[in-house]
Structures are given as C-alpha cells and as structure tokens.
C-alpha cells in the first residue's frame, strides 16, 4: 500500500487531498459530537469549527492524527484511518 503524502505521485487534479481533508473534518464533527465521554474538548459541531481546530495542529505537526492526539483528543487510530480513506 502506497500513499502519496506530498503530492508527487498523483496529479492534484484527481482531488485526493481535498477528499481526504473533507473526510478528516467530517470525522471530527461526527465523532466529537457524539456523547461518548472520551473526548477531551467540547464537541465540534460544524466543518468550520473542525477546520479551525485541525489546521493549526496540522501545520504544527504536519500530520492530522498526530496533531489531534498530541492536543489530547482521544481517537481510535484504526477507525480514524479507515474513515478518512473511505472512497479514495
């Protein structure tokens, strides 16, 4: 299994990066809005809120999952990876 993390193997015209970002943000809204008691922070209720949380963490850690985990979000790594790769 090979992933093109820096956009050098696949054309940006394919839409892979925007699709994956959309799925990550959807995951944050869906999983933190559920009252599981496992989330450190208040629920994220919109894509805009998710983006405001995700972008600085991604910039700092250059990885979505690592940034979220370091910030204290309790996320099942396998579930996260399966969710955001769906449909790619």
């Amino acid at each position: 299994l090979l992933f093109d993390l820096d956009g050098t193997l696949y054309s940006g015209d394919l839409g892979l990066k925007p699709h994956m970002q959309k799925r990550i943000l959807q995951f944050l809204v869906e999983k933190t809005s559920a009252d599981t008691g496992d989330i450190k922070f208040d629920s994220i209720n919109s894509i805009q809120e998710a983006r405001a949380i995700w972008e600085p963490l991604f910039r700092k850690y250059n990885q979505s999952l690592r940034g979220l985990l370091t910030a204290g979000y309790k996320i099942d790594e396998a579930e996260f990876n399966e969710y955001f790769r769906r449909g790619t």
Side-chain angles (χ1 to χ4, degrees), residues 21-83:
Q21 286 179 355
K22 178 182 174 185
R23 295 293 293 164
I24 290 166
L25 300 177
Q26 288 173 332
F27 178 89
L28 291 174
V29 172
E30 289 179 24
K31 298 302 179 179
T32 65
S33 62
D35 186 17
T36 63
D38 291 338
I39 303 300
K40 176 181 175 182
F41 301 101
D42 292 336
S43 65
I44 299 169
N45 297 307
S46 70
I47 295 295
Q48 292 80 14
E49 287 180 42
R51 184 177 304 283
I53 290 165
W54 170 79
E55 279 184 344
L57 293 172
F58 183 78
R59 275 192 221 109
K60 182 174 182 177
Y61 296 100
N62 201 32
Q63 292 180 5
S64 296
L65 185 57
R66 186 171 119 197
L68 293 163
L69 292 173
T70 301
Y73 284 90
K74 300 204 184 309
I75 296 173
D76 179 281
E77 294 181 39
E79 180 183 16
F80 176 84
N81 287 321
E82 189 278 326
Y83 184 95

Side-chain angles (χ1 to χ4, degrees), residues 1-36:
L1 189 57
L2 179 66
F3 290 97
D4 181 21
L5 299 177
D6 61 1
T8 58
L9 298 176
Y10 301 103
S11 168
D13 297 339
L14 295 175
L16 183 60
K17 183 177 177 181
H19 171 76
M20 289 176 35
Q21 286 179 355
K22 178 182 174 185
R23 295 293 293 164
I24 290 166
L25 300 177
Q26 288 173 332
F27 178 89
L28 291 174
V29 172
E30 289 179 24
K31 298 302 179 179
T32 65
S33 62
D35 186 17
T36 63

